[in-house]
Amino acid sequence: DPIDGTLPYIEGVPGYAVSIALVSREGVPQIGVVFDPVEHVLYHAIKGQGAFRNSEPWEIRGRRPRLQLLTDRSFAEQPEFPKILEAMEQWGYAGLETNVQGGAVMNACWVLENPPACYFKFPKKQEGGGSSWDFAATACIYCEMGAVATDIRGNPLELNNAETTFMNRGGALYATNEELAGRITDLFHRLKT
């Protein structure tokens, strides 16, 4: 994806990136490379060889007291968004910060930079919700860091679907840890049933 986060790019604000990935026929990310041209940061991972930030080994470090939710403007405009925020504010953190500025790639990278944090998109009937190229590179980085990159139900992301590149059927869930991912999955089930 030569420019993910077209809207931030057009507006001249952070939130866009270049993203390159290699995914196996089975849909398993093998290589993921992301370049943030605003901050001049290069993220990359190779399956089984770890994740790197500017060529230095990278792992999730530190833990802020506040939870950060990163998402895009279209998700923030959904009718259930206030209910999502209200539920997340009850999760025992010292507060909730939201950022609706970035595209999928930088949102995923910012999650790893600011634990505890998450980025997710609920499934929807109509096509959209990002494409596999919006998630493939960061899914490889997440896998190598031991973070969560799944669909909203906890299943592997469909990164090599012969029928479509769109991710709307399963949504996406990126979280810095399994506990947070589980809470998001539970929240999705409560809101959708």
Side-chain angles (χ1 to χ4, degrees):
D1 192 351
I3 299 180
D4 176 76
T6 311
L7 195 53
Y9 175 76
I10 291 168
E11 293 173 345
V13 298
Y16 60 94
V18 178
S19 177
I20 303 167
L22 174 66
V23 176
S24 72
R25 288 189 174 146
E26 297 77 29
V28 178
Q30 304 294 307
I31 298 172
V33 180
V34 171
F35 180 65
D36 174 358
V38 175
E39 297 294 328
H40 302 282
V41 176
L42 178 68
Y43 306 92
H44 80 276
I46 301 170
K47 186 174 177 15
Q49 296 183 30
F52 300 85
R53 185 182 186 281
N54 287 336
S55 300
E56 297 291 326
W58 191 32
E59 57 188 49
I60 298 172
R61 292 192 177 111
R63 215 175 138 88
R64 301 167 327 118
R66 296 173 63 89
L67 174 62
Q68 186 167 68
L69 167 63
L70 295 121
T71 192
D72 57 49
R73 294 176 199 177
S74 65
F75 188 67
E77 293 168 357
Q78 292 181 5
E80 69 256 0
F81 192 66
K83 290 180 184 176
I84 293 168
L85 295 179
E86 183 180 331
M88 293 178 76
E89 287 172 351
Q90 306 304 312
W91 287 354
Y93 295 94
L96 176 66
E97 298 171 4
T98 59
N99 180 336
V100 297
Q101 182 173 312
V105 173
M106 281 313 302
N107 280 339
C109 290
W110 288 338
V111 164
L112 295 172
E113 296 272 13
N114 297 288
C118 58
Y119 164 59
F120 56 94
K121 297 176 80 80
F122 286 169
K124 57 185 182 179
K125 289 183 176 28
Q126 69 273 26
E127 285 191 336
S131 291
S132 55
W133 52 77
D134 296 327
F135 299 97
T138 53
C140 184
I141 294 167
Y142 270 63
C143 182
E144 290 302 302
M145 292 182 74
V148 177
T150 65
D151 76 6
I152 201 70
R153 295 173 183 90
N155 301 314
L157 291 169
E158 289 189 25
L159 298 176
N160 199 4
N161 185 332
E163 297 173 22
T164 182
T165 64
F166 290 114
M167 305 292 286
N168 57 289
R169 292 188 299 187
L173 191 165
Y174 282 67
T176 49
N177 61 64
E178 292 283 346
E179 178 189 355
L180 182 54
R183 287 181 176 198
I184 295 164
T185 298
D186 291 344
L187 174 61
F188 166 71
H189 289 301
R190 281 198 318 269
L191 290 173
K192 295 300 179 179
T193 54

